[in-house]
Amino acid sequence: MRNRTICVAIFWLIVMLFVSQVNAAENIIFELVAKQQTIKVGEPLTIDVVFSVPESHISELPESYDYDLEFFYVEKEGVLIGKVPSFFDKFKLNNSQDRQYKATAVLFYDWLERKLLFEVPSNYSVRFGDLSTILTVNVEKPSNVEELALSLISDPNDYFFLGFGSRVHGEKHSETILHLEEVVRRCPETVLAKWCEARLGLEYFKDFEKKHRSIMRFRSAKTQGQIQEPLFDKAHLYLTKGAALPDDFPIREEVLLQLGVAEFINNDLIKANSILDELATKYPNSEYGKQAVKAKAELQEIQHRESVQPKDPNHAED
C-alpha cells in the first residue's frame, strides 16, 4: 500500500513538472492546422492546435496536459473582429513518437458579440493566445441555399445548442429543435445541415436513453416486434446522416459511438462492428475511440453468448 502511494505521488509530481515546464518554455509554439483553409460564410472552421514537447523537458509523457482557458483571436484585414474562448481544457497525447499533443476547436460563432465569426467574404487570420502560428483563412460568398440555411438558425440559442448540445428548456428548446430540423429539411446538402443532423441525432438518442433505461430489454423487445419507439427511429435516422460529417469534425466521434449502439439495438451486428472499427481506427487517442475498443469487446462477448445459448424471447438482461 505504501509503495502504491509513493508511485501515485511520483506520477503526479511528473505531471506537475511537465505542466510547469511546458508553461515556462518560451520555445514551444502552438501550431494551428486546418484541413480546409477556404470555407464559405456560415461554414464552421475546424482547427487543430498542436505542440511538441522537447525530450529535454520531460522523458515520460502523460496522456493529457491540462491547460487554462485561452482565446482564439480572429482578424480581418489586420483588424481584430473576434475573440473566442477555446472551450477545451486539455491537450491529448496525439503522437508519442513525435511527442505531440493536440486539441481541436470549431470556430463558427462569436459568443460574446452574438454574431457569425466569419460573416462576410474576406481573408481572415487566426491565432491562439500569444504563442501560436498564424492561420490564414479565405472565406467565400455562400450559395443561395447556404444563405437560406443560415437564416433558419438566427437565434443565439440555436447556435449554442448546435455547438455544445446545451439545451434551453421549455418553449425555447422546442423552437431550437424545430429550427435545426427545418435546416435539414430545406437545405440537406449543406455542411450546416449535416451538423444539425448530428446534433439532433445525439439529442434524440439522449431522450431515448432516458425513456428506456435498459438497452438490452428494449433491443430484445424490438427484435421480437413487441415495441415501436419514434424517439429511437429519429435518433437512428439523424445519427446515420450526421455521420457524413468530415472526419475532423469533433462531434462526429460521439455520433459514431452512438450510431454503433443504435445498430446494435437494430440487431445489425455487422454494421455495429464496422462503425466501432472506424471509430477506434480513425480516432485511437480520443475518449470515444477508446470507448469503441471496449464496446467492440463487449459486442463480441454478447455475440458469442447469444450464439451459444440463444435468449428466451420473453427474458432480457438489464
Side-chain angles (χ1 to χ4, degrees):
M1 182 69 181
R2 183 171 177 272
N3 289 339
R4 182 176 180 277
T5 303
I6 292 173
C7 289
V8 170
I10 291 173
F11 170 78
W12 283 112
L13 181 61
I14 291 172
V15 172
M16 290 172 65
L17 178 63
F18 169 75
V19 171
S20 64
Q21 287 182 328
V22 169
N23 283 335
E26 296 180 359
N27 61 332
I28 290 182
I29 302 294
F30 295 101
E31 182 182 1
L32 303 188
V33 181
K35 287 188 177 179
Q36 287 185 303
Q37 290 183 262
T38 297
I39 60 173
K40 293 183 179 179
V41 170
E43 287 187 349
L45 176 68
T46 304
I47 295 180
D48 288 339
V49 184
V50 300
F51 69 91
S52 297
V53 181
E55 194 168 359
S56 58
H57 288 198
I58 187 169
S59 57
E60 187 174 345
L61 298 174
E63 285 295 312
S64 64
Y65 158 49
D66 294 335
Y67 196 77
D68 293 336
L69 179 67
E70 187 55 271
F71 289 87
F72 288 96
Y73 296 90
V74 181
E75 294 185 358
K76 179 170 73 75
E77 299 175 355
V79 178
L80 183 67
I81 56 97
K83 179 182 176 183
V84 184
S86 60
F87 292 114
F88 55 72
D89 59 0
K90 287 182 184 296
F91 283 84
K92 300 289 183 66
L93 184 60
N94 182 56
N95 187 323
S96 57
Q97 186 173 355
D98 294 337
R99 306 175 62 82
Q100 185 188 81
Y101 285 80
K102 181 180 81 169
T104 302
V106 175
L107 299 189
F108 178 66
Y109 193 73
D110 188 331
W111 309 102
L112 300 176
E113 298 296 328
R114 294 194 169 191
K115 64 182 180 66
L116 285 174
L117 200 53
F118 307 107
E119 60 179 351
V120 296
S122 185
N123 289 321
Y124 294 79
S125 62
V126 181
R127 63 181 169 85
F128 178 70
D130 295 321
L131 294 173
S132 84
T133 57
I134 304 296
L135 179 69
T136 301
V137 183
N138 178 39
V139 179
E140 299 177 340
K141 187 177 186 294
S143 65
N144 291 337
V145 70
E146 288 163 340
E147 285 186 337
L148 174 60
L150 288 171
S151 71
L152 297 173
I153 54 166
S154 55
D155 191 305
N157 291 323
D158 300 345
Y159 290 110
F160 199 79
F161 177 71
L162 187 60
F164 304 105
S166 300
R167 62 166 65 199
V168 181
H169 293 283
E171 292 182 4
K172 281 291 184 184
H173 177 63
S174 299
E175 288 177 11
T176 294
I177 295 295
L178 289 174
H179 293 168
L180 268 61
E181 289 183 331
E182 189 71 358
V183 172
V184 171
R185 186 179 71 83
R186 298 178 65 181
C187 315
E189 299 306 316
T190 63
V191 174
L192 191 56
K194 299 302 176 191
W195 193 1
C196 290
E197 287 164 341
R199 181 57 69 193
L200 288 167
L202 294 175
E203 183 69 7
Y204 280 124
F205 198 82
K206 188 190 304 178
D207 289 342
F208 158 73
E209 288 184 310
K210 287 180 180 177
K211 184 175 179 181
H212 300 275
R213 297 293 183 177
S214 171
I215 284 179
M216 293 299 290
R217 286 186 182 279
F218 178 84
R219 175 176 178 257
S220 178
K222 189 175 187 302
T223 301
Q224 299 301 317
Q226 298 171 355
I227 190 171
Q228 291 184 340
E229 178 53 79
L231 273 176
F232 175 79
D233 295 338
K234 281 187 175 183
H236 181 256
L237 174 66
Y238 283 127
L239 288 171
T240 301
K241 292 184 175 182
L245 279 169
D247 288 351
D248 62 342
F249 211 96
I251 194 176
R252 187 173 187 269
E253 299 173 31
E254 185 178 0
V255 167
L256 287 180
L257 183 64
Q258 300 296 46
L259 181 57
V261 176
E263 296 298 358
F264 167 72
I265 292 171
N266 267 343
N267 212 28
D268 192 336
L269 304 187
I270 293 177
K271 192 175 287 187
N273 243 319
S274 175
I275 291 168
L276 293 174
D277 264 337
E278 179 184 355
L279 180 54
T281 302
K282 288 185 175 178
Y283 314 99
N285 298 313
S286 76
E287 172 192 346
Y288 296 109
K290 292 174 182 176
Q291 286 185 42
V293 174
K294 295 179 181 178
K296 273 180 59 65
E298 292 173 2
L299 183 59
Q300 288 173 356
E301 286 182 13
I302 292 171
Q303 284 180 284
H304 176 71
R305 189 164 63 244
E306 290 182 348
S307 65
V308 172
Q309 186 178 2
K311 284 185 177 294
D312 180 342
N314 297 316
H315 175 74
E317 292 182 0
D318 290 330

